[in-house]
Amino acid sequence: MTAVITDSCIKCKHMACVEVCPVDAFYEGENMLVINPTECVDCGCCIVECPIDAIVFDDDPRAGPWIELNAKYAAIWPNVTFDGGQTPADADQFKGVDGKFERYFSAAPGAGDIGVRPIRARARNCGHHHGETLLNRMTRLLGRFWR
């Protein structure tokens, strides 16, 4: 399963999810974020951190229409790896608003990383991962069967 950002993110673009991503799988549009499905390691940290419940796993019924959109725009929007203050000042006014895609979606790219990335050893640990990559996780899991 991969995490998918839904239309709830439009005009909100809170950055807490970006801060916990261990593999920097987030990409920024003018008014929303998307996740690259081939980079996501399925840890779920971003889902827990999102204050507006805009991120779900791809097997959630709410993910359906947004899976392709995430993949498409992750390929063309700039990567964003930390919170540089991109959350709009009026984001709280758009929490829970219906029909955001039809009314507010913009295909324009965002700025990506703004300013200087804070020094950190790795993403904040939200308790759902151990800072490991997909390759490390697969090696660890397969190692159990090859003993």
Side-chain angles (χ1 to χ4, degrees):
M1 291 183 294
T2 186
V4 176
I5 298 182
T6 66
D7 64 333
S8 296
C9 184
I10 297 171
K11 299 286 271 179
C12 289
K13 201 164 75 167
H14 292 281
M15 302 297 287
C17 53
V18 172
E19 289 284 316
V20 297
C21 183
V23 294
D24 298 332
F26 283 82
Y27 291 80
E28 184 187 11
E30 179 180 35
N31 64 8
M32 79 173 290
L33 301 168
V34 295
I35 296 173
N36 185 323
T38 62
E39 295 174 1
C40 178
V41 293
D42 316 329
C43 66
C45 291
C46 58
I47 294 171
V48 174
E49 284 296 313
C50 181
I52 58 169
D53 195 29
I55 309 172
V56 296
F57 279 120
D58 61 0
D59 63 349
D60 185 298
R62 296 176 292 165
W66 312 111
I67 294 171
E68 188 177 317
L69 182 132
N70 275 246
K72 175 182 178 180
Y73 287 101
I76 57 177
W77 285 349
N79 187 232
V80 61
T81 62
F82 65 92
D83 183 353
Q86 297 95 319
T87 302
D90 61 351
D92 289 336
Q93 295 174 16
F94 290 94
K95 182 179 180 179
V97 172
D98 290 329
K100 287 169 48 168
F101 183 78
E102 295 79 17
R103 292 169 43 199
Y104 304 115
F105 176 75
S106 169
D113 286 336
I114 298 172
V116 177
R117 180 181 187 151
I119 297 173
R120 65 179 188 187
R122 61 183 160 173
R124 285 191 339 246
N125 189 335
C126 73
H128 291 267
H129 69 85
H130 302 286
E132 64 184 347
T133 65
L134 181 58
L135 178 60
N136 289 343
R137 184 174 6 164
M138 294 300 293
T139 302
R140 180 176 50 81
L141 293 173
L142 290 174
R144 292 180 185 171
F145 298 105
W146 291 335
R147 290 184 188 175

